[in-house]
Amino acid sequence: YPGLFSSSIPPGVEKKITQRAGIVQRYVDRPLLINGFKFDLRLYVVVTSFDPLKVYIYQEGLVRLATQKYQCSADSLEERTMHLTNYSINKHAASYKQNLDKKEDDTKSKVEAAEADALEGESDEAISDLGDDANEEETHAVGDSSKWSLRQLEEHLTAQGVDYPLLMSRIEDVIIKTLIAAEPQIVNTWHQGANYSTASATAIQQVTPNQTCFEIYGFDVMVDEELQPWLLEVNVFPSFSSSSPYDKRIKTQLIADVFTLIGLMPYDHDTVEKTCKEELAKRLQGSSRNLVISRSHTVSTIRTATFKSFGEAEWRLILETYEENMRRGHFTRIFPREGSGFYKQFFTTPRYSNLVLDRWIQLGGEQGHQGNQWEPAIDWML
């Protein structure tokens, strides 16, 4: 249960605290404010793989405001709705205001009416006449709700002369480093139960296990006056309940984009049964293809590899990564990307798969398919 304490705690209070499990965090006493109110950010991050590490951040999130104007005073420590930005606390305040997402409702009504008119033949240009209104997601007046969108935050901070891109780049840096810190244990645990799909009796080095899982994280971040982000916590099971129309729209879009990003396919019983029978028949005939493909490089040689020296294993990983990014929707991939080689120093173990993607990006990444660099990949696919 969130609480706020001074550096000197009465013995009775200290005894109660030590009887409960919890985490103590240093108080950020000079937070960045919105119109005098303290706030934090809930950012949605999806990791589609830890080996290789692939991280996406959603373009929208939640800006959660306190409901009392901030005062940096020890006398105000009892004012929980001033110092704590938790929704669970502020929703009970009389001054709490829902984000009703009015502009989205108005736009939806306009689109539906225009479509109806066009279908009835009353206005062939009804839909095209909507202009920018149909594409605008948020135009709430500043301060009319206790929960903002990231777009609102960007507009507000930009108007105040704050470097919003710099702030987001620092937040993304914190997210990447946090995930790298947890990477060793997660990868080791995952590898213990990983499926390498081998039909070979000999050990073959595959680039990475089959990708069979993903994770949605809720990163809670606070920002101080110097635009320094402070990580409050990482939620492994963030809430997807909707406390307002805005919540419902953002979280619905988020889940839809997640399923598209990971490439979730509708289950077809007949197709699965047919595929299993065909694979069984091939195995009985001894013609089943070995699904494990060996690496073409080592951890050392991959750092200077060329496109032509990549083998099928490397190209499979590259194409899977490329196709996944093409399905990103409203997500932005923040790792790997250009310049992500900087983070090599923070990994306890150099993963071959990470090095493959890093080298691919160095050689042009997604832009490489526009030239003839991808011809080796096309050759083995054919």
Side-chain angles (χ1 to χ4, degrees):
Y1 193 64
L4 196 61
F5 303 95
S6 62
S7 56
S8 58
I9 304 174
V13 176
E14 184 175 2
K15 183 178 180 180
K16 290 182 179 179
I17 293 175
T18 55
Q19 291 173 347
R20 300 172 59 182
I23 297 175
V24 178
Q25 294 177 304
R26 184 181 296 276
Y27 186 76
V28 179
D29 60 347
R30 295 186 179 275
L32 186 66
L33 303 177
I34 295 178
N35 297 331
F37 292 90
K38 193 174 180 180
F39 71 94
D40 77 349
L41 307 176
R42 162 58 61 86
L43 303 166
Y44 296 103
V45 175
V46 172
V47 177
T48 57
S49 168
F50 270 95
D51 182 14
L53 181 61
K54 292 187 286 185
V55 185
Y56 295 81
I57 186 171
Y58 204 57
Q59 293 176 7
E60 263 302 357
L62 305 178
V63 183
R64 302 175 296 196
L65 285 79
T67 48
Q68 279 185 273
K69 286 202 171 183
Y70 181 72
Q71 295 179 10
C72 185
S73 169
D75 297 333
S76 66
L77 290 182
E78 298 298 324
E79 304 295 339
R80 290 161 59 82
T81 56
M82 175 190 295
H83 295 279
L84 302 176
T85 52
N86 306 61
Y87 166 72
S88 59
I89 292 174
N90 285 278
K91 68 179 180 180
H92 299 295
S95 55
Y96 181 83
K97 299 178 182 178
Q98 275 194 347
N99 187 328
L100 300 178
D101 210 18
K102 293 179 181 178
K103 185 61 182 181
E104 182 67 16
D105 290 341
D106 293 343
T107 299
K108 183 178 179 181
S109 298
K110 288 180 182 180
V111 171
E112 290 175 345
E115 289 177 343
D117 289 344
L119 289 173
E120 293 173 4
E122 295 179 7
S123 174
D124 293 335
E125 299 179 354
I127 295 179
S128 61
D129 287 344
L130 284 173
D132 294 334
D133 286 345
N135 297 320
E136 195 171 350
E137 290 186 4
E138 290 287 330
T139 57
H140 289 304
V142 172
D144 72 344
S145 67
S146 300
K147 191 177 288 185
W148 286 14
S149 67
L150 290 182
R151 175 175 292 189
Q152 285 177 287
L153 178 66
E154 179 180 8
E155 292 174 353
H156 174 73
L157 294 182
T158 301
Q160 300 295 316
V162 176
D163 191 339
Y164 184 79
L166 173 63
L167 170 61
M168 289 307 299
S169 68
R170 290 177 174 177
I171 290 175
E172 291 170 2
D173 178 66
V174 169
I175 291 172
I176 294 169
K177 289 177 178 176
T178 300
L179 292 169
I180 291 176
E183 186 258 10
Q185 184 174 353
I186 293 176
V187 170
N188 290 338
T189 302
W190 177 41
H191 281 188
Q192 289 176 14
N195 175 15
Y196 285 83
S197 298
T198 178
S200 173
T202 59
I204 299 179
Q205 272 196 319
Q206 192 177 2
V207 171
T208 179
N210 295 319
Q211 305 301 312
T212 55
C213 52
F214 69 96
E215 190 71 75
I216 305 175
Y217 297 105
F219 274 72
D220 292 344
V221 177
M222 186 167 287
V223 183
D224 65 21
E225 290 180 341
E226 303 298 325
L227 296 189
Q228 176 67 41
W230 296 86
L231 180 65
L232 300 178
E233 65 175 326
V234 181
N235 296 271
V236 296
F237 190 64
S239 171
F240 292 111
S241 61
S242 301
S243 60
S244 70
Y246 172 71
D247 271 44
K248 183 176 182 180
R249 176 168 64 86
I250 292 302
K251 292 175 181 178
T252 300
Q253 292 176 351
L254 167 67
I255 294 301
D257 281 349
V258 167
F259 287 154
T260 303
L261 174 67
I262 65 174
L264 188 65
M265 301 292 291
Y267 181 80
D268 187 318
H269 179 79
D270 293 337
T271 301
V272 172
E273 185 177 11
K274 179 181 178 182
T275 303
C276 290
K277 288 181 178 179
E278 291 176 350
E279 180 62 27
L280 177 60
K282 289 180 180 179
R283 289 181 180 178
L284 293 175
Q285 296 170 5
S287 59
S288 179
R289 182 184 178 187
N290 189 342
L291 298 179
V292 178
I293 305 159
S294 60
R295 302 174 180 180
S296 299
H297 287 274
T298 65
V299 170
S300 299
T301 63
I302 191 63
R303 301 172 193 270
T304 56
T306 63
F307 273 127
K308 290 185 178 180
S309 68
F310 286 161
E312 181 175 347
E314 289 74 25
W315 277 116
R316 280 183 178 274
L317 174 60
I318 290 170
L319 290 178
E320 287 173 0
T321 303
Y322 173 77
E323 291 174 354
E324 179 182 272
N325 193 51
M326 292 296 288
R327 301 191 301 265
R328 66 188 180 276
H330 295 91
F331 280 99
T332 299
R333 194 181 69 204
I334 61 174
F335 192 94
R337 64 182 175 188
E338 187 176 354
S340 60
F342 163 77
Y343 294 98
K344 291 178 185 177
Q345 59 186 308
F346 302 112
F347 285 89
T348 57
T349 302
R351 310 282 180 192
Y352 183 75
S353 56
N354 287 330
L355 297 175
V356 169
L357 294 183
D358 182 61
R359 184 56 182 163
W360 167 58
I361 290 173
Q362 289 178 7
L363 295 171
E366 272 86 2
Q367 286 69 41
H369 78 284
Q370 298 174 358
N372 60 358
Q373 296 98 321
W374 289 47
E375 285 183 357
I378 297 175
D379 290 341
W380 69 253
M381 284 190 294
L382 296 177

